[in-house]
Amino acid sequence: MRILIVGCGYVGVPLGAELVKLGHEVHGLRRTLDGAAELEAAGIKPLAGDVSRPEDLAVLPGPYDWVVNLVSSSKGGPEAYQQVYVDGSRNLIAWLRGQSAPPKKFVYTSSTSVYAQADGSSVKETSPTEPKSPTSQLLVEAEKVVLEAAQQGFPGVVLRVAGIYGPDRGHLFHKFCRNEARIDGDGLRIINMIHRADVVGCIISALKSGRAGEVYNTVDDEPVTQTTFYRWLAETLGKAMPPHATEDETATRKRGETSKKVQNRRLKAELGYQFKFPTFRQGYTTEIKRLEDAGLLELAKDER
Ligand SMILES: NC(=O)c1ccc[n+]([C@@H]2O[C@H](COP(=O)([O-])OP(=O)(O)OC[C@H]3O[C@@H](n4cnc5c(N)ncnc54)[C@H](OP(=O)(O)O)[C@@H]3O)[C@@H](O)[C@H]2O)c1
C-alpha cells in the first residue's frame, strides 16, 4: 500500500516505522522539513505542507491507498483547533476526493475529550458528545466532517483516543516524579489512558478492518481513579503519595474536567484488537524500566 501519515509526530513516526516494516511505502507530512532526518531514519519519506492550506495539499504526490490524519494543534487554542482539525479535515477530504483514485481507508484520530460526562459513568461510542470546552467542541465538529463524508461514500473512520503515554510522554507521571502532582478533591476523578504502541496498533487495525463511518474508542482496559494511579506509582517507585490540592487549585482545575470510564468493547469485538499494554500497570512498568536502564529516571526527593 501507498500510505500518507498527515501530522507525522509522536504517534506518526512509530506508526510509519511499523508500516514500513510491514512492507508499505509510507509518506509523512509535517509543516516543514526540519525533522526530515527523524522520518527518514524510520524509512518514512518526508513531505512538507500545511493541512490548513489547500494549495499545499494540491501538490502532494498522491494518490494514496491509506491515509491517517494525526495532526495536532500543537497546544493551540480554539483558533488553532478550527484551522488544524476542522478546516484541515475538510481540506484533506476535498483533496483526496479529487484524486484519480480516492483512498481505500482514511483514519482520523479524535479524542475521548469529546465526552463531557463527569459523573464517573461508563461511556461508549453511542454516548452523548456534548463537551463544554470550546476546543473539544471543535473536535466534535471535525468528527462530523469525517462522518458526514463517510455517509457520502468516503471511507472515513474515527478513533477517539484517550490520554497517550509512552516514551517521553505522560503528563501525570512526570508531575508525580517531580513532586508536582496533586490529588484533587476526593481523588476519585477517573483517568483514561493508552500507550503509544497501542495507538499505533489500533490505527493499523482500523486501516485494515475499521468500518467506514464508524467510531472506535481507543483506550486501554482500565479507566483508573487519580488516587489508584498515584498509589500504584508511589508503591512502584517507593515514593510518597502526592499531597491533596487546595480547594482553590481543585476549583480551578475542576472547570470543564471530566470523569468517565471510556469503554473499548467495540475496538476489541469488531477490530479484534489485542493490547500490548492492557493497562497503565504494564505500560508504566515498561516505561519505568526503560528510563532506569537509560539512567534517565529522575525522582525528586519526598518532601515529607
Ligand atoms: N497526546 C494525547 O494524549 C492525545 C489524546 C487524544 C488524541 N490525540 C490526537 O492524536 C493525534 C496524534 O497526536 P501526537 O501526540 O502524535 O501529536 P504530535 O506529536 O503533536 O504530532 C502532530 C504532528 O502534526 C504536525 N502538524 C501540526 N500542525 C500541522 C499542520 N497544520 N499541517 C501539517 N502538519 C502539522 C506536527 O509537525 P510540525 O509542527 O513540524 O508541523 C507534528 O509532527 C493528534 O490528532 C492528537 O490530537 C492525542
Side-chain angles (χ1 to χ4, degrees):
M1 296 279 184
R2 208 160 176 274
I3 304 171
L4 175 64
I5 300 175
V6 180
C8 198
Y10 184 69
V11 173
V13 172
L15 169 67
E18 189 63 29
L19 290 166
V20 167
K21 259 193 240 157
L22 294 171
H24 301 292
E25 177 184 334
V26 183
H27 295 211
L29 182 80
R30 288 183 181 176
R31 283 171 295 186
T32 68
L33 289 175
D34 290 352
E38 186 195 356
L39 272 62
E40 279 163 349
I44 304 167
K45 297 183 196 321
L47 294 172
D50 187 327
V51 286
S52 65
R53 293 163 48 93
E55 61 273 31
D56 285 7
L57 301 177
V59 296
L60 296 178
Y64 292 96
D65 301 302
W66 284 347
V67 177
V68 185
N69 182 11
L70 289 169
V71 283
S72 88
S73 66
S74 316
K75 299 205 165 78
E79 202 180 322
Y81 270 62
Q82 173 71 40
Q83 279 178 5
V84 167
Y85 295 113
V86 184
D87 301 345
S89 296
R90 264 198 208 110
N91 295 341
L92 276 171
I93 292 171
W95 165 66
L96 290 165
R97 277 176 159 162
Q99 295 282 291
S100 54
K104 296 179 183 72
K105 201 64 68 72
F106 176 93
V107 171
Y108 165 63
T109 49
S110 179
S111 163
T112 54
S113 72
V114 298
Y115 299 116
Q117 288 78 346
D119 57 357
S121 56
S122 286
V123 296
K124 51 186 182 180
E125 290 82 351
T126 49
S127 299
T129 52
E130 292 157 355
K132 291 194 184 75
S133 89
T135 49
S136 297
Q137 287 167 3
L138 289 163
L139 294 181
V140 174
E141 196 66 32
E143 285 189 357
K144 269 195 200 140
V145 171
V146 178
L147 297 174
E148 281 172 12
Q151 281 178 357
Q152 295 151 18
F154 185 78
V157 175
V158 172
L159 300 184
R160 287 187 185 140
V161 182
I164 303 171
Y165 71 95
D168 304 322
R169 277 269 181 109
H171 178 58
L172 296 179
F173 170 71
H174 290 113
K175 276 185 146 180
F176 178 87
C177 294
R178 292 195 297 258
N179 288 354
E180 289 166 8
R182 297 287 178 272
I183 296 173
D184 295 316
D186 57 11
L188 296 181
R189 192 172 91 76
I190 298 164
I191 310 160
N192 296 274
M193 291 178 266
I194 184 164
H195 192 284
R196 175 174 69 170
D198 283 312
V199 182
V200 166
C202 290
I203 293 171
I204 295 175
S205 289
L207 286 168
K208 288 182 179 159
S209 21
R211 279 193 292 141
E214 199 54 277
V215 175
Y216 299 90
N217 289 338
T218 304
V219 54
D220 73 16
D221 284 342
E222 191 181 352
V224 65
T225 64
Q226 212 185 27
T227 300
T228 304
F229 180 61
Y230 285 141
R231 184 167 298 131
W232 184 86
L233 286 178
E235 283 168 7
T236 303
L237 295 169
K239 264 183 77 55
M241 279 292 276
H244 281 267
T246 62
E247 269 179 35
D248 279 358
E249 284 170 336
T250 302
T252 313
R253 259 200 294 272
K254 255 202 163 152
R255 245 179 272 134
E257 262 190 358
T258 65
S259 183
K260 69 235 171 181
K261 296 185 196 119
V262 182
Q263 302 296 307
N264 64 11
R265 203 178 155 272
R266 181 179 285 174
L267 181 81
K268 296 208 283 193
E270 277 192 26
L271 303 186
Y273 187 70
Q274 294 191 349
F275 280 88
K276 295 177 181 76
F277 301 105
T279 80
F280 72 92
R281 297 164 209 275
Q282 293 88 354
Y284 271 109
T285 298
T286 302
E287 177 57 5
I288 289 165
K289 182 166 184 329
R290 183 189 73 83
L291 289 170
E292 265 175 344
D293 290 350
L296 295 172
L297 184 65
E298 286 179 25
L299 298 175
K301 263 196 162 165
D302 284 333
E303 284 155 355
R304 291 160 290 148

